[in-house]
């Protein structure tokens, strides 16, 4: 277990944080009520994940193939708008087939969710290099020169990919305790298994390059991951649920490692996130009611649309 400092100040901090978390969770439950006055059900909770699955599918497919769902499986988009700025990345022979595989896996995820609980049109996604550049500037705290380009090379693309699957993992971990139907639990567990695998592959590939400077910047790969994780924690607004590739040993597995290929809590369990936290992160605003970032018009589905109305 990770060591804890039981000072009066830290105890007060943890109680305050716990109170705010409970308050935020209850507020989300209230905001996620359907028009009929009922709380979000299994279908609503699982459908919410489609937003992230669409984002991952389009990013991975375009990055590896130069085309997306409109070509690979157009019926799954249900007429939703094409993503902004998605393009083929300059990937090397190792990374390209991995990302292509990820893209096809996301197609399967969307199909599985829609088949089980129904779906909605693909939301408008901003996957442009300009949007990624804003996110990376926000993460490091200054304007990178030249602006960060996720499509420039394999390392940049992997760093951009570091942004995405992990958010979905927290969402699936968070939703599982709220599901009631065994078949739905099975579906989400299966989705979570593959999403976690994707995230582990991305993190392992980046860890291999952890001390490499990201050209032409002064920051290393590990430093970028630490800054991105810190940004997601700030936007999520619920404390530390995200860690980069290199951490102080107090945050490492059993307080014994500085390597952090898999991000996990003090018992090496996956962190959970609520829909409100996820929306705050992918919107880039820290506010589930204020769309932006990767979802300029907001996410789709009953939970996301109810929260912002």
């Amino acid at each position: 277990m990770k060591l804890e400092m039981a000072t009066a100040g830290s105890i007060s901090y943890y109680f305050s944080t716990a109170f705010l978390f409970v308050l935020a969770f209850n507020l989300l439950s209230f905001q996620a009520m359907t028009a009929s006055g009922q709380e979000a059900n299994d279908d609503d909770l699982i459908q919410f994940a489609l937003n992230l699955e669409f984002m991952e599918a389009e990013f991975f497919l375009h990055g590896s193939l130069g085309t997306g769902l409109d070509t690979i499986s157009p019926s799954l988009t249900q007429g939703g708008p094409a993503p902004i700025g998605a393009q083929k990345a300059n990937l090397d022979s190792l990374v390209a087939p991995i990302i292509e595989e990820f893209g096809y896996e996301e197609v399967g995820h969307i199909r599985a969710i829609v088949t089980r609980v129904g779906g909605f049109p693909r939301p408008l996604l901003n996957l442009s290099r300009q949007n990624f550049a804003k996110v990376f500037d926000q993460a490091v705290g200054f304007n990178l020169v030249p602006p960060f380009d996720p499509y420039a090379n394999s390392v940049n693309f992997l760093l951009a990919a570091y942004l995405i699957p992990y958010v979905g993992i927290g969402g699936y971990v968070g939703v599982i305790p709220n599901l009631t139907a065994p078949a739905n639990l099975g579906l989400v567990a299966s989705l979570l298994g593959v999403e976690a695998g994707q995230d582990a592959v991305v993190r392992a590939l980046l860890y291999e390059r952890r001390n490499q400077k990201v050209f032409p910047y002064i920051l290393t790969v590990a430093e970028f991951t630490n800054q991105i994780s810190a940004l997601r924690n700030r936007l999520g607004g619920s404390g530390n649920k995200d860690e980069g590739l290199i951490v102080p040993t107090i945050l490492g597995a059993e307080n014994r490692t500085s390597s952090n290929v898999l991000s996990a809590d003090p018992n090496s369990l996956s962190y959970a996130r609520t829909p409100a936290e996820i929306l705050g992160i992918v919107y880039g605003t820290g506010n589930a009611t204020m769309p932006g970032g990767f979802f300029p018009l907001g996410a789709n589905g009953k939970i996301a649309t109810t929260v912002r109305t």
Side-chain angles (χ1 to χ4, degrees):
M1 294 181 63
K2 297 182 180 179
L3 303 177
E4 298 179 358
M5 299 295 292
T7 65
S10 64
I11 291 172
S12 175
Y13 170 80
Y14 288 125
F15 272 113
S16 298
T17 302
F19 171 78
L20 290 173
F21 177 82
V22 172
L23 180 63
F25 181 82
N26 288 336
L27 177 61
L28 174 65
S29 297
F30 172 77
Q31 290 175 320
M33 300 288 279
T34 66
S36 63
Q38 299 298 313
E39 289 190 15
N41 58 27
D42 280 18
D43 290 2
D44 302 328
L45 292 167
I46 296 173
Q47 282 182 358
F48 177 79
L50 274 176
N51 290 291
L52 298 180
E53 299 288 1
F54 275 125
M55 180 168 67
E56 293 174 44
E58 296 293 5
F59 184 58
F60 292 145
L61 289 173
H62 278 277
S64 59
L65 301 173
T67 190
L69 287 170
D70 288 320
T71 299
I72 302 300
S73 189
S75 64
L76 291 179
T77 71
Q78 296 189 37
I84 300 169
Q87 65 181 79
K88 194 173 191 299
N90 183 26
L91 303 178
D92 61 38
S93 59
L94 171 66
V95 175
I98 294 173
I99 299 304
E100 181 180 359
E101 178 186 338
F102 286 1
Y104 292 134
E105 288 166 355
E106 299 307 330
V107 174
H109 288 182
I110 295 169
R111 184 173 59 248
I113 292 173
V114 171
T115 300
R116 178 66 193 171
V117 299
F120 47 69
R122 173 183 56 195
L124 180 64
L125 299 164
N126 187 349
L127 300 175
S128 67
R129 63 181 67 183
Q130 292 84 0
N131 186 52
F132 275 100
K134 289 179 182 178
V135 174
F136 274 74
D137 287 350
Q138 191 178 7
V140 301
F142 58 90
N143 293 334
L144 293 167
V145 180
F148 184 85
D149 181 357
Y151 302 106
N153 53 60
S154 291
V155 171
N156 283 24
F157 192 87
L158 288 170
L159 284 169
Y162 179 90
L163 276 168
I164 300 174
Y166 185 71
V167 179
I169 293 171
Y172 282 134
V173 173
V175 79
I176 284 175
N178 298 309
L179 298 176
T180 57
N184 291 336
L185 286 165
L187 170 62
V188 172
S190 298
L191 292 165
L192 175 59
V194 175
E195 292 290 332
Q198 291 177 352
D199 185 62
V201 169
V202 170
R203 292 179 71 103
L205 289 170
L206 289 172
Y207 185 79
E208 187 177 24
R209 300 161 172 81
R210 62 193 179 280
N211 295 321
Q212 175 183 322
K213 291 282 182 68
V214 180
F215 182 81
Y217 312 115
I218 61 173
L219 298 174
T220 65
V221 167
E223 288 169 335
F224 265 108
T225 65
N226 291 342
Q227 297 286 4
I228 293 167
S229 289
L231 173 64
R232 288 189 297 212
N233 281 329
R234 293 196 300 273
L235 295 175
S238 294
N240 183 60
K241 295 186 177 183
D242 201 323
E243 299 159 350
L245 295 176
I246 301 294
V247 296
T249 53
I250 191 69
L251 294 176
E254 295 300 298
N255 307 133
R256 298 184 181 203
T257 69
S258 59
S259 66
N260 199 48
V261 178
L262 301 180
S263 181
D265 74 4
N267 290 315
S268 291
L269 303 177
S270 294
Y271 293 106
R273 287 200 181 277
T274 66
E277 292 173 52
I278 291 170
L279 291 174
I281 292 169
V282 297
Y283 289 172
T285 62
N287 186 337
T289 69
M290 189 181 300
F294 294 108
F295 293 83
L297 301 181
N300 283 350
K302 191 173 293 182
I303 290 176
T305 55
T306 303
V307 165
R308 66 174 182 265
T309 57

